[in-house]
Amino acid sequence: MSAAAPAPAAKPEGDRYKWAALTNTTAAVFMSSLDGSIVLIALPAIFNGIHLDPLAPGNIAYLLWMIMGYRLVQAVLVVTVGRLGDMYGRVRIYNAGFTLFTFASVLLSFDPFDAEHGAMWLIGWRLLQAAGGSMLTANSAAILTDAFPREQRGFALGINQVAGLAGMFIGLVAGGLLATWDWRAVFWVNVPVGVFGTLWARRRLRETAGRGGGRIDWWGNVTFAVGLSAVLVGVTYGLQPYRGRTMGWANPMVLALIIGGVVLLAAFVLVENRVASPMIQLSLFRLRAFTAGNLAGLAISIGRGGMLFVLIIWLQGIWLPLHGYDYSRTPLWAGIFMLPLTAGFLLAGPVSGYLSDRFGSRGLATSGALLFGASFVGLMCVPIDFDYWVFALLIALNGIASGMFGSPNSSSIMGSVPAHLRGVASGMRATFQNSGTAVSIGVFFSLMIAGLAGNLPHTLTAHLQQNGVPHAAAAQAGSLPPVASLFAAQLGVNPVAHLLGPSGVPPKLTPEQRRALTGREFFPHLISGPFHSGLTIVFLFGAALAVLAAIASLLRGGREEPGTGQQGEQGTSTAEGAASARAS
């Protein structure tokens, strides 16, 4: 009788711990995700602050690494640090990630250099910051799955997933607001949250699952990290012009990186099937819910990441200038006008997580994927100079669709695996998501450039000549790769002024011609036709990805036990049995 007495007191303590774990991990995932997108809008202020023109010849690599480097590192490292969490303690690796992320944020805000050296400083410390963020995101879902009972896991993981994707959306607004004050504030914003979160995590979080032990799979880590890095770096450099071509996919270095990366990833699979303590458990792919959920998540991540990039260019390069906004103000207002997307996601995410606990994940996730695709079809039908309420409704539906899909899908994935593999499972889930986001920019940007390349050079040359630009200068500007015009628009720079600047033509034109060429309406009207061709290709591809995600979601199997799959339940029971045995 005395032995049974402590049982009632354990529940309140468990309740307090699980809510502390949810709050801390949610703040960490939000902060890590926020930093992945906050720089996207703040890039003009950052490059002005370090006195570097990222659009000058030879400098576009700095721009691409600032955009994609953070996601690349997260995609590569999350599986490794998830496995380390299973081996040495998820809370231990998580706490180390909080410390590393905060330390890198401090150093990012104190860039002592200018120009190229300043850019290298920022890129280097952002890569280290991304490593800390990987340690947070890889272990947060596993910590929550350990802390919450199966009937509440969908809700907890839904909140965590909402925080991660909300950070991506809110970063677009926060970057614009903070950059108007000081570009360093983009990095300062992480410091107080990071310091408080680090101390709080060390004080409150504890290991609630047994450590798996084992040895580090060095060959697996090397082949995976180098292989995936090579593919993503190849995608990054493939976006750059090469020997007069609009993009660099014919560059031998790009081809060697991508082909070599694929070969190393194939070698990674062979290694993992032969080592005693593999980095990832390929056997997890025998679980239908795990495999289908990750494939669906990859497709949605590719669609979502590329869509954000394209919508920013659409707003900053065309719609906002047509509606009276100076190019220098478009980065901030683009983030503000995309708030319906954030609102839709914040509304749907927690609700769908709660509903998945009661009714299962498959129906909600599949419906979310289909609605996600429908929003792409709707955006494809919208004219370039749209009525904002139509645009706002469509991106709000897209946000709702992301929320409907994300929380149930994460709950299904994490609930399908044994308890002792949740760290590596969480890392694998994050790898699919981050790889999709990193690849999406390359895929969508390439499709957009392909749509522009057919019409933009001739259209640009003809319109420049009609406004007094000599044929030679107009032809030179028209022959420049479309990537320069799109990046100029994204950075809040007048694209026509940037294209004509090196030619020395503007001072020779009449004041009326200069006003017409560098005004708010010339470039948007000029690019509208070619840009719409690119948008059609991009949104059709996004809709196709959503359909594939819906099919994969349907294939995850029948209605599982809310919050867990059979294999996950077995692993949970085994872990609980071992804990009971140790207590006895």
Side-chain angles (χ1 to χ4, degrees):
M1 188 168 180
S2 59
K11 189 175 187 304
E13 175 58 30
D15 284 344
R16 285 197 296 269
Y17 175 75
K18 71 184 181 184
W19 297 120
L22 177 61
T23 309
N24 191 278
T25 57
T26 297
V29 168
F30 177 83
M31 183 178 69
S32 175
S33 177
L34 179 85
D35 217 71
S37 63
I38 195 171
V39 169
L40 196 62
I41 290 291
L43 281 172
I46 291 173
F47 281 112
N48 285 335
I50 61 175
H51 308 108
L52 178 71
D53 178 8
L55 299 174
N59 286 350
I60 198 169
Y62 297 122
L63 174 63
L64 287 170
W65 275 101
M66 284 292 290
I67 293 173
M68 299 180 66
Y70 189 89
R71 294 295 179 193
L72 187 153
V73 170
Q74 286 204 322
V76 169
L77 287 185
V78 282
V79 172
T80 300
V81 295
R83 173 62 179 150
L84 291 176
D86 287 337
M87 292 171 61
Y88 301 112
R90 293 156 191 166
V91 172
R92 174 183 291 185
I93 301 299
Y94 175 89
N95 288 343
F98 234 139
T99 304
L100 185 62
F101 187 95
T102 306
F103 176 71
S105 298
V106 172
L107 291 176
L108 276 165
S109 64
F110 292 104
D111 190 344
F113 303 112
D114 267 348
E116 290 86 355
H117 292 96
M120 290 299 296
W121 174 279
L122 293 176
I123 291 168
W125 286 112
R126 263 185 70 74
L127 297 182
L128 186 66
Q129 187 186 47
S134 301
M135 299 163 80
L136 294 172
T137 55
N139 289 283
S140 62
I143 290 171
L144 289 178
T145 307
D146 291 337
F148 278 82
R150 67 175 182 269
E151 66 272 11
Q152 293 181 323
R153 273 182 208 147
F155 172 76
L157 290 169
I159 293 291
N160 201 248
Q161 178 89 351
V162 165
L165 293 177
M168 182 189 302
F169 298 142
I170 292 174
L172 300 175
V173 180
L177 291 172
L178 292 171
T180 58
W181 173 37
D182 192 305
W183 67 268
R184 294 175 179 83
V186 170
F187 304 111
W188 289 337
V189 71
N190 295 319
V191 176
V193 178
V195 171
F196 177 76
T198 300
L199 297 176
W200 185 22
R202 290 184 180 277
R203 179 178 177 85
R204 295 300 307 273
L205 298 187
R206 63 178 185 270
E207 302 291 352
T208 58
R211 300 177 188 178
R215 300 163 59 184
I216 296 177
D217 172 19
W218 292 110
W219 282 109
N221 276 275
V222 169
T223 52
F224 179 79
V226 176
L228 186 57
S229 296
V231 171
L232 296 179
V233 170
V235 170
T236 301
Y237 282 100
L239 296 176
Q240 300 183 47
Y242 175 71
R243 293 188 177 178
R245 301 173 187 264
T246 57
M247 306 193 79
W249 298 114
N251 186 339
M253 182 190 76
V254 170
L255 294 174
L257 283 169
I258 293 176
I259 295 172
V262 171
V263 169
L264 283 173
L265 290 175
F268 165 73
V269 174
L270 296 176
V271 168
E272 296 302 280
N273 279 316
R274 285 166 170 76
V275 296
S277 299
M279 170 185 159
I280 70 170
Q281 294 289 334
L282 294 177
S283 61
L284 289 177
F285 288 108
R286 297 193 188 105
L287 302 173
R288 195 198 308 181
F290 180 84
T291 302
N294 276 304
L295 290 177
L298 175 66
I300 293 294
S301 293
I302 294 174
R304 180 173 51 238
M307 180 201 68
L308 285 176
F309 197 69
V310 170
L311 291 183
I312 289 170
I313 293 175
W314 189 357
L315 288 171
Q316 292 185 197
I318 299 178
W319 193 84
L320 286 169
L322 282 177
H323 289 259
Y325 293 85
D326 292 325
Y327 279 98
S328 60
R329 298 169 57 211
T330 58
L332 169 61
W333 284 100
I336 292 173
F337 278 110
M338 287 179 66
L339 280 175
L341 180 68
T342 307
F345 181 80
L346 291 177
L347 174 67
V351 174
S352 63
Y354 171 77
L355 291 176
S356 71
D357 286 331
R358 300 195 61 184
F359 305 111
S361 301
R362 186 171 70 160
L364 281 166
T366 303
S367 300
L370 291 174
L371 183 60
F372 189 76
S375 68
F376 275 100
V377 175
L379 286 168
M380 185 174 61
C381 298
V382 169
I384 290 294
D385 188 11
F386 49 78
D387 289 329
Y388 178 70
W389 71 268
V390 177
F391 180 82
L393 177 62
L394 287 171
I395 63 174
L397 286 175
N398 187 277
I400 291 171
S402 292
M404 286 177 62
F405 173 84
S407 302
N409 192 61
S410 293
S411 178
S412 175
I413 292 171
M414 293 303 298
S416 69
V417 302
H420 67 283
L421 293 177
R422 285 173 186 156
V424 70
S426 177
M428 292 164 72
R429 178 187 64 84
T431 292
F432 276 99
Q433 181 172 310
N434 288 320
S435 297
T437 303
V439 169
S440 69
I441 295 177
V443 172
F444 274 61
F445 207 78
S446 298
L447 292 172
M448 178 59 68
I449 294 298
L452 288 174
N455 299 319
L456 183 60
H458 171 74
T459 304
L460 178 59
T461 302
H463 280 74
L464 288 175
Q465 285 185 257
Q466 291 173 12
N467 284 271
V469 177
H471 173 75
Q476 181 183 9
S479 66
L480 292 175
V483 65
S485 297
L486 292 183
F487 275 135
Q490 186 195 354
L491 291 171
V493 176
N494 188 314
V496 176
H498 183 269
L499 291 173
L500 292 179
S503 68
V505 168
K508 302 175 184 177
L509 301 174
T510 66
E512 292 78 11
Q513 290 172 329
R514 282 199 301 272
R515 280 195 297 270
L517 288 171
T518 59
R520 299 189 188 106
E521 296 186 2
F522 179 81
F523 181 76
H525 283 306
L526 172 76
I527 202 176
S528 291
F531 189 80
H532 193 267
S533 300
L535 279 181
T536 301
I537 296 172
V538 163
F539 289 146
L540 274 175
F541 182 70
L545 286 172
V547 171
L548 291 176
I551 294 172
S553 183
L554 276 174
L555 293 176
R556 76 177 73 233
R559 182 181 177 273
E560 69 279 3
E561 269 189 79
T564 184
Q566 182 180 359
Q567 182 68 31
E569 178 63 16
Q570 179 183 350
T572 304
S573 299
T574 302
E576 290 170 352
S580 299
R582 286 194 298 271
S584 300

